[in-house]
Amino acid sequence: MADHEINPTANIITAIASLVSAFAWPAIAILVIYGLYSNTDKIISSFNEFMKDKDSANFGFSSSGGVTLEIIQKTARVSANAVISSANKSTTGPLSEDQKSQVGVNAQSAAISLASNSLDPRTRLKILWVDDHPENNIDLQLALQTLGIVVICIDSNEGISQAFDNASSFDVVITDINRDEMGDGRRQAEPEGGLKTVEIIMKNYPNTKVIVYAGGWAATHRNDSLQKPIIRITNYPEEVYQIVVNLAKTKALLQ
């Protein structure tokens, strides 16, 4: 049987679909396509047709041959909306209009600052998120991942060592405090399991920063004096977002 003719357009759309579904930075798709294909009219048409009605990106080529990316504003909007959604579901409640505006500014700044660093693993901030209910943090995780920040989630302290071994290192650990019992017998209830997380990080990974992101516990202790490696105790998702994007921008600048 004769080999089927390779369809570059189909390959483009398949590649983009895989990247978008994984919340990959949209610029990755742009650069891959730009580097592998030369039929720019077909590339632009295929990409924009695929992305129609999707809040992600469009792109084109300028008359001088440069790439014109129209991804920053849309990327920032996706990230900001995810933070707003996270706040709506949190114990702290919906954001005010001023707070929403500030989140939008922060997202825009982060999207601009991190765009050129998204392909280099050395410049991407890496987060280990320890929480027995990771599904509660999906919106906030998406807000960070959209900007190219790496977020790895585990549900107990038992996975910390393996996670560090797999990733080589993390810049930040985000932890809850109270951990529920696991019905399969893997863990009994740990009312202060997150404090054990802090101890493990302090002992074994002293250069890693810790953010305690918890509900009632953080509301009670947010004004406590911070001790290394903790840099913030909070129950506000927008505060976690601001701290993390600032750390991500700082790391990108230092590389």
Side-chain angles (χ1 to χ4, degrees), residues 65-140:
V67 181
T68 302
L69 301 180
E70 299 175 5
I71 61 175
I72 298 299
Q73 289 186 345
K74 291 189 176 183
T75 297
R77 184 163 65 249
V78 170
S79 186
N81 285 344
V83 178
I84 293 168
S85 178
S86 179
N88 289 339
K89 300 172 185 176
S90 73
T91 58
T92 58
L95 302 181
S96 67
E97 291 305 313
D98 286 344
Q99 287 173 319
K100 290 179 183 178
S101 177
Q102 185 58 53
V103 167
V105 170
N106 294 339
Q108 180 87 0
S109 174
I112 293 170
S113 299
L114 301 177
S116 62
N117 302 92
S118 60
L119 294 178
D120 189 344
R122 296 172 301 173
T123 64
R124 299 177 69 189
L125 194 79
K126 292 192 293 185
I127 296 173
L128 178 63
W129 201 314
V130 189
D131 193 307
D132 61 328
H133 290 286
E135 69 278 4
N136 293 341
N137 304 308
I138 288 176
D139 291 315
L140 193 49

Side-chain angles (χ1 to χ4, degrees), residues 69-232:
L69 301 180
E70 299 175 5
I71 61 175
I72 298 299
Q73 289 186 345
K74 291 189 176 183
T75 297
R77 184 163 65 249
V78 170
S79 186
N81 285 344
V83 178
I84 293 168
S85 178
S86 179
N88 289 339
K89 300 172 185 176
S90 73
T91 58
T92 58
L95 302 181
S96 67
E97 291 305 313
D98 286 344
Q99 287 173 319
K100 290 179 183 178
S101 177
Q102 185 58 53
V103 167
V105 170
N106 294 339
Q108 180 87 0
S109 174
I112 293 170
S113 299
L114 301 177
S116 62
N117 302 92
S118 60
L119 294 178
D120 189 344
R122 296 172 301 173
T123 64
R124 299 177 69 189
L125 194 79
K126 292 192 293 185
I127 296 173
L128 178 63
W129 201 314
V130 189
D131 193 307
D132 61 328
H133 290 286
E135 69 278 4
N136 293 341
N137 304 308
I138 288 176
D139 291 315
L140 193 49
Q141 291 162 9
L142 172 60
L144 300 173
Q145 290 168 330
T146 301
L147 299 173
I149 295 169
V150 177
V151 181
I152 304 298
C153 301
I154 59 175
D155 61 8
S156 70
N157 292 331
E158 283 68 28
I160 291 177
S161 177
Q162 186 63 55
F164 268 86
D165 288 344
N166 291 342
S168 298
S169 66
F170 289 98
D171 302 289
V172 183
V173 170
I174 300 177
T175 181
D176 63 348
I177 293 296
N178 181 50
R179 309 243 169 97
D180 295 335
E181 179 180 0
M182 285 188 173
D184 58 6
R186 284 178 53 202
R187 185 186 66 227
Q188 295 185 358
E190 296 179 286
E192 294 187 340
L195 297 183
K196 179 63 176 178
T197 303
V198 175
E199 292 178 9
I200 293 171
I201 300 304
M202 181 171 58
K203 178 180 178 180
N204 299 296
Y205 314 101
N207 294 324
T208 304
K209 298 175 174 62
V210 174
I211 297 172
V212 176
Y213 176 51
W217 191 94
T220 302
H221 294 274
R222 61 178 292 114
N223 294 320
D224 290 0
S225 297
L226 300 179
Q227 297 186 4
K228 193 176 180 180
I230 299 174
I231 61 171
R232 189 64 57 92

Side-chain angles (χ1 to χ4, degrees), residues 211 231-232 234 238-248:
I211 297 172
I231 61 171
R232 189 64 57 92
T234 183
E238 68 274 21
E239 190 171 14
V240 174
Y241 181 77
Q242 178 61 69
I243 295 168
V244 170
V245 297
N246 283 345
L247 291 172

